[in-house]
Amino acid sequence: MVDFKQEIAELLVQHIDGMSAGEIAALVEIPADKSRGDYAFPCFKLAKIMRKAPPLIAAELAEKIRGSELFEKVEPVNAFLNMFINKEHFISACLKEVLSEKERFGSSDLGEGQTVIVEYSSPNIAKPFHIGHIRTTVIGNALYKIFDFLGYKVVRINHLGDYGTQFGKMIAAYRHWGSREEVEADPIKTLLAYYVRFHDEAKNDPALDEEARQAFAALERGDAPETELWQWIRDESLKEFRRVYDMLDIDFDSWAGESFYSDKMPAVIEELKDKGLLTESRGAQIVDLEPYGLTPAIITKSDGTSIYLTRDLAAAIYRKKTYDFSKCIYVVASQQDLHFKQLFKVLELMGFEWAKDMVHVNFGMVSLPEGTLSTRAGRVVFLEDVLNTAVEKTREIVLEKGVNAELIDETAKTVGIGAVVFNELSASRIKDYTFKWEEVLNFDGETGPYVQYTHARCASVLRNAAEKYGDSISFEGADLSVLTSPAAYELVKEIYEFPAIVKEAALKYEPSVITRHIIDVAQGYNKFYHDEHILVDGAAERKAKLLLTAASKETIRNGLALLGIKAPERM
Ligand code: ARG
């Protein structure tokens, strides 16, 4: 995209001694008060170099750059050089870029040659994949798409919770009360029921705990019966998880979960020992992190079993060796802030300089308003049920609105699921929020359905133009000056911002930056649509307005795609 700050700097540098174009570009401001121009250059810093009063410098520079086609007006005001961009030049540059880049508009090769790992979702086997998992799942997927769009090679990892002493309990429980058919019919609910029963009965029957310990020990040794049972439980759970991933159109490059690192831990423990980092504390092996204001990192428990943190150490080292990442991103709830601080600190103490490339992308909690989603107090709300409900509710809404009957299934799915994902990515991730259907599915609010609807509206305007006038999208014969009207021009400016917005989202690991922006673009388009008649008879005017419609559509589509949401052509 034309970078106006850069262009301005290149123009000014010809008339300024002692400053590089880069230094000048860094000084160029975008005034909040539009009457001061689109860009302003403060001349204070130059006063020293040029030995002149800033207002005088501003006046002289204004004289020199006034003739450039870049500007409509250049005004020295006190120490500032205020520049008003030539609107038509700007509109033309912006629309040409969008319409030639299309689905690549906003992309870049910034990350070329660098690998980024995004670890997300990571549910626990044989446990519900519930509403709480939605955040890591969709934030992670969006980050994958954003980094991919910026030219990074991205490796998507699902670090499944498929290891630990609880699997000993699960195996013991299954052996007592389990039935294969029952599990296969409804894997997670059934396995969870066994697990709950195990805990109830173990209170009065300590022999059960002993059985569980032995089953886990057998699993760790790799004994066949336990390993097969565990593998089957994992497979059945995954089938259920995959149904949800398919609904969300989400996938992974690696499903290496915690169990994958079980044989890689002894080497890590050895290395910690060699580096003199381990100390004993009440039978456990720990890394003392007190000097860093953190509680100790427990590496092995007093019974010798390893824990979550140890597996994460092994995973990080393995990933560095295998993928040579330039960043390893963990999308995990802020409840685990301490865990990741400990993990990163231990890696640093082990002397890995790449410890600085580890990023914990944390987020707040989702809660539900009383009674709406949880049918019984305390019952877990399965993510799959939420997605299905979203599709059903959307079906009712669009039926009422009188949607094309053939499209009903498709629309209900695209809009229903899109609405849930969009809602999830609307607020900054660190905020806790309450999931409310009235907000998620509001077609007029700042929601997924609203943005998708705007996309379909753009598509429909373009279809109508083609039918009625035989128009195709072309700059030939288009009079771009009509797009200098306030509604059109504001919209062009929003579109122009999109590539910078994508970069900002990556820099902050914050997909909501994109969500907020495409809401602005959609609102901008709707204002333009209502303020101005688009399909006018005058071809030069109509063609210009269609160019802007097409560019709005591309921008919304690309933004939605980065969030993992489809953009319907019709609704
Ligand atoms: N399975 C864990 C949980 O559900 C999340 C795993 C996060 N990733 C990690 N590398 N520790 O809480």
Side-chain angles (χ1 to χ4, degrees):
M1 189 58 108
V2 262
D3 181 343
F4 282 96
K5 281 191 180 172
Q6 200 54 42
E7 300 226 348
I8 289 170
E10 266 150 36
L11 208 58
L12 288 175
V13 78
Q14 301 169 27
H15 310 289
I16 296 173
D17 294 325
M19 246 194 216
S20 71
E23 286 166 328
I24 296 173
L27 288 177
V28 175
E29 298 173 358
I30 298 180
D33 172 6
K34 287 294 153 219
S35 70
R36 292 182 46 224
D38 300 301
Y39 294 91
F41 181 69
C43 300
F44 305 105
K45 281 231 167 104
L46 284 179
K48 245 199 189 129
I49 307 174
M50 298 174 109
R51 298 177 174 281
K52 273 184 211 165
L56 188 63
I57 301 174
E60 284 178 7
L61 286 175
E63 226 27 73
K64 295 205 164 109
I65 65 170
R66 193 158 273 152
S68 161
E69 62 154 13
L70 216 53
F71 307 115
E72 185 172 281
K73 196 165 71 172
V74 177
E75 250 177 19
V77 175
N78 300 327
F80 287 87
L81 178 60
N82 294 346
M83 294 160 277
F84 298 78
I85 292 294
N86 177 330
K87 293 197 176 82
E88 262 187 79
H89 175 81
F90 171 69
I91 293 165
S92 160
C94 174
L95 296 185
K96 280 197 175 123
E97 169 133 343
V98 181
L99 296 172
S100 65
E101 299 226 317
K102 300 201 169 70
E103 54 285 313
R104 302 294 305 158
F105 170 59
S107 69
S108 121
D109 54 10
L110 196 73
E112 215 176 75
Q114 294 183 60
T115 298
V116 167
I117 289 181
V118 185
E119 187 218 278
Y120 59 107
S121 202
S122 312
N124 298 326
I125 292 296
K127 291 271 179 67
F129 194 16
H130 57 78
I131 177 82
H133 290 111
I134 191 172
R135 307 212 75 182
T136 166
T137 306
V138 309
I139 293 170
N141 184 52
L143 290 177
Y144 147 61
K145 295 195 179 240
I146 292 166
F147 279 95
D148 178 67
F149 205 52
L150 293 177
Y152 293 86
K153 176 175 175 348
V154 186
V155 182
R156 301 165 293 175
I157 299 182
N158 194 332
H159 188 76
L160 292 169
D162 58 0
Y163 202 76
T165 48
Q166 72 270 27
F167 289 95
K169 294 181 187 166
M170 187 63 82
I171 289 169
Y174 179 77
R175 284 178 170 160
H176 279 275
W177 315 295
S179 120
R180 207 170 176 96
E181 299 75 59
E182 216 175 42
V183 172
E184 284 175 355
D186 194 353
I188 290 177
K189 283 184 188 136
T190 309
L191 290 167
L192 188 66
Y194 297 161
Y195 191 70
V196 169
R197 180 163 175 193
F198 179 95
H199 273 270
D200 282 347
E201 302 212 0
K203 276 183 215 138
N204 309 313
D205 185 0
L208 276 175
D209 278 324
E210 186 45 37
E211 252 178 74
R213 248 192 305 278
Q214 285 182 13
F216 181 64
L219 192 61
E220 283 213 287
R221 279 195 306 271
D223 291 1
E226 285 75 12
T227 307
E228 273 162 32
L229 211 63
W230 167 84
Q231 186 64 49
W232 172 70
I233 290 172
R234 190 182 192 271
D235 292 346
E236 288 300 315
S237 303
L238 271 193
K239 267 189 215 160
E240 202 166 322
F241 297 163
R242 273 194 200 267
R243 277 208 306 273
V244 178
Y245 293 135
D246 285 346
M247 285 171 100
L248 291 166
D249 204 6
I250 284 177
D251 205 356
F252 298 89
D253 302 302
S254 161
W255 299 77
E258 292 184 43
S259 68
F260 181 76
Y261 302 101
S262 60
D263 64 350
K264 296 172 183 60
M265 286 185 294
V268 176
I269 297 170
E270 219 30 58
E271 192 171 343
L272 284 165
K273 216 179 277 166
D274 289 349
K275 290 180 171 165
L277 292 168
L278 283 189
T279 47
E280 212 199 281
S281 165
R282 277 175 277 151
Q285 294 291 322
I286 62 156
V287 178
D288 178 20
L289 298 177
E290 215 197 308
Y292 314 100
L294 297 169
T295 48
I298 302 170
I299 303 298
T300 56
K301 287 193 283 193
S302 52
D303 62 3
T305 51
S306 68
I307 60 159
Y308 184 56
L309 178 69
T310 323
R311 291 189 282 279
D312 260 326
L313 283 170
I317 295 167
Y318 174 86
R319 288 174 189 175
K320 183 65 193 176
K321 272 197 202 122
T322 310
Y323 305 107
D324 192 24
F325 56 75
S326 61
K327 242 189 248 306
C328 180
I329 297 170
Y330 297 84
V331 187
V332 183
S334 50
Q335 279 110 313
Q336 297 194 29
D337 282 357
L338 173 62
H339 169 76
F340 285 100
K341 281 191 187 130
Q342 292 176 321
L343 173 64
F344 300 168
K345 187 48 89 180
V346 174
L347 289 169
E348 185 191 315
L349 294 175
M350 289 176 87
F352 298 123
E353 75 51 60
W354 48 265
K356 65 175 188 346
D357 304 324
M358 314 295 276
V359 186
H360 177 204
V361 171
N362 56 2
F363 52 82
M365 280 198 330
V366 196
S367 54
L368 303 158
E370 282 304 317
T372 42
L373 271 171
S374 68
T375 46
R376 240 187 303 139
R379 201 199 88 159
V380 279
V381 178
F382 283 77
L383 183 49
E384 187 172 10
D385 296 340
V386 173
L387 295 177
N388 283 326
T389 307
V391 174
E392 280 328 303
K393 282 182 182 280
T394 308
R395 186 190 301 277
E396 284 162 29
I397 297 172
V398 289
L399 268 177
E400 244 168 64
K401 288 190 184 271
V403 157
N404 194 333
E406 298 156 39
L407 291 175
I408 192 84
D409 284 341
E410 190 59 36
T411 307
K413 234 162 90 185
T414 315
V415 177
I417 290 174
V420 174
V421 174
F422 194 95
N423 178 66
E424 186 48 56
L425 298 174
S426 286
S428 70
R429 59 183 157 78
I430 202 66
K431 283 201 188 123
D432 293 342
Y433 84 99
T434 308
F435 186 98
K436 293 191 189 122
W437 283 116
E438 320 77 271
E439 285 171 13
V440 175
L441 293 176
N442 181 353
F443 276 52
D444 304 313
E446 299 185 347
T447 60
Y450 171 78
V451 174
Q452 285 176 322
Y453 183 74
T454 309
H455 180 269
R457 165 172 278 171
C458 294
S460 138
V461 167
L462 297 177
R463 275 196 305 272
N464 290 342
E467 268 168 37
K468 197 163 170 208
Y469 299 97
D471 282 338
S472 60
I473 298 306
S474 154
F475 283 86
E476 223 178 282
D479 174 10
L480 296 183
S481 73
V482 303
L483 301 181
T484 57
S485 70
Y489 194 61
E490 277 312 306
L491 177 55
V492 176
K493 284 209 259 184
E494 294 290 356
I495 292 172
Y496 171 78
E497 282 301 317
F498 184 68
I501 288 288
V502 177
K503 292 196 183 102
E504 185 189 334
L507 198 71
K508 296 182 173 163
Y509 309 103
E510 186 67 89
S512 68
V513 169
I514 294 175
T515 318
R516 307 305 311 168
H517 187 71
I518 53 173
I519 291 171
D520 291 343
V521 174
Q523 286 174 341
Y525 185 77
N526 287 319
K527 182 162 171 36
F528 169 62
Y529 179 90
H530 288 297
D531 285 7
E532 303 191 24
H533 190 40
I534 296 178
L535 295 184
V536 292
D537 283 334
E541 177 178 345
R542 193 179 67 240
K543 283 183 167 204
K545 290 178 171 176
L546 289 177
L547 286 169
L548 182 53
T549 299
S552 305
K553 180 173 180 279
E554 299 286 346
T555 309
I556 293 174
R557 199 252 339 269
N558 290 1
L560 285 173
L562 291 176
L563 302 176
I565 301 172
K566 296 200 176 88
E569 290 291 315
R570 295 166 199 267
M571 249 169 95

